[in-house]
Amino acid sequence: MSLASILPEESTFSDFKNQCLSTENWLSKYNSQGMQVWMEVPTDKSKRRGPKVHKIKCKITIKDVSAVTMYDVIHDSEYRKTWDAAMVESFDIARVSACADLGYYSWHCPNPIKNRDVVTLRSWRVTDDEYIIINFSVKHPKFPPRSDMVRAVSIITGYYIKPTGPSSCIFIYLSQADPKGSLPKWLVNKASEVLAPRMLRYVLQAGQKYPEWKEQNSPEQKPWLFPEQCTLPKMDPAELAIQRGDSLENVDESSKQDANPQE
């Protein structure tokens, strides 16, 4: 990203795509029923030690939902309210450019862990044969960390969707996110291996049901495809700053430090 703007450049999208499609330095964790999960293996041996939140990648081969439908599902915040059981609250804050917006999302965590939230800048790029959506955490002066939530950090999270036919596609989710708090990193990494594939199955089911739902719910309204439909207030990207994890307070959640990773 350019120092002059927080908005991703073309090279950011290209790098994200390369990570999604790369097989080097990725350790397979799961491969079954058309779904694969990998954890990144750091190339620098000095980075293999110490508390680091791993980068996780999930790929699912979809045979009955088109790429554009899956792309719509990821964007459609109204539809998300019908299928995302983990969500506490989600809303769009502002439009930053024709292909970028600012949003808030919070989600449930099992007791006694506090619920998490993020404020992210989401950007997207569409070409004739692929769809890319990426987001990362930012600081917004009107949406500081809340006392009833732990502010998590999306270092980089996104989706790469490529058509394989008129009603089929490859769907890849890649994320490096730090839930903050005082959860041990081994627990965060282990939970990611379990939760990411589960989330992808929910997204797939949402994709299968989306056309019928959308037909009954403002079928022509898709501001992510038609920017002129967007009614969000415009915001200058210069007002935003990247949210660094080390600037956030670590909330004590020591009661979960010895938790079973199966939980």
Side-chain angles (χ1 to χ4, degrees):
M1 284 174 290
S2 167
L3 293 176
S5 174
I6 199 170
L7 292 170
E9 297 177 336
E10 182 64 27
S11 59
T12 306
F13 286 100
S14 296
D15 179 65
F16 180 82
K17 174 183 174 179
N18 291 337
Q19 290 186 67
C20 285
L21 300 180
S22 172
T23 56
E24 290 186 29
N25 304 312
W26 289 92
L27 179 64
S28 176
K29 290 290 186 177
Y30 181 87
N31 187 353
S32 179
Q33 299 179 333
M35 183 182 294
Q36 298 165 280
V37 179
W38 300 269
M39 281 284 192
E40 183 187 40
V41 178
T43 53
D44 184 348
K45 292 183 180 180
S46 66
K47 294 181 180 179
R48 296 186 186 183
R49 297 182 180 181
K52 180 190 176 184
V53 178
H54 290 170
K55 195 174 288 181
I56 189 168
K57 178 168 62 176
C58 305
K59 174 183 175 181
I60 184 165
T61 302
I62 300 176
K63 299 180 180 180
D64 58 352
V65 184
S66 69
V68 68
T69 295
M70 294 305 298
Y71 179 71
D72 288 347
V73 167
I74 297 302
H75 271 290
D76 198 324
S77 57
E78 287 302 310
Y79 183 55
R80 185 160 194 155
K81 296 173 184 178
T82 72
W83 64 266
D84 187 353
M87 184 175 72
V88 176
E89 186 179 14
S90 179
F91 53 86
D92 298 325
I93 299 171
R95 171 59 61 94
V96 184
S97 76
C99 297
D101 60 20
L102 186 70
Y104 174 88
Y105 178 80
S106 59
W107 66 96
H108 293 286
C109 292
N111 287 328
I113 302 173
K114 294 188 74 171
N115 291 341
R116 261 59 179 175
D117 69 354
V118 287
V119 174
T120 57
L121 178 67
R122 178 177 63 174
S123 305
W124 53 92
R125 189 190 71 176
V126 177
T127 65
D128 290 340
D129 64 345
E130 63 186 17
Y131 303 82
I132 299 176
I133 305 171
I134 59 175
N135 77 58
F136 51 85
S137 286
V138 294
K139 290 187 285 188
H140 187 294
K142 294 184 179 180
F143 294 90
R146 294 166 43 172
S147 60
D148 60 332
M149 298 271 181
V150 173
R151 178 61 49 89
V153 176
S154 168
I155 301 167
I156 183 70
T157 298
Y159 306 87
Y160 174 82
I161 311 169
K162 186 173 182 64
T164 55
S167 299
S168 60
C169 64
I170 291 171
F171 184 94
I172 297 176
Y173 167 79
L174 185 148
S175 179
Q176 185 177 24
D178 188 345
K180 297 304 295 178
S182 58
L183 297 176
K185 294 298 184 284
W186 67 263
L187 179 59
V188 173
N189 293 329
K190 190 67 179 177
S192 295
E193 293 177 34
V194 176
L195 296 177
R198 185 183 301 172
M199 184 274 290
L200 244 64
R201 291 190 182 94
Y202 288 141
V203 174
L204 172 57
Q205 292 171 3
Q208 292 166 336
K209 298 175 181 178
Y210 183 72
E212 181 180 355
W213 180 90
K214 189 59 176 173
E215 190 175 334
Q216 306 298 322
N217 294 270
S218 304
E220 305 302 321
Q221 186 72 15
K222 294 183 178 182
W224 52 92
L225 294 178
F226 311 108
E228 65 276 9
Q229 295 179 348
C230 183
T231 58
L232 292 172
K234 293 183 179 180
M235 182 175 187
D236 185 347
E239 297 180 53
L240 301 171
I242 294 176
Q243 176 68 72
R244 307 291 183 184
D246 54 10
S247 68
L248 293 169
E249 179 185 2
N250 280 328
V251 179
D252 183 18
E253 296 172 295
S254 55
S255 60
K256 289 298 291 182
Q257 290 203 10
D258 296 320
N260 188 324
Q262 299 299 321
E263 290 184 5

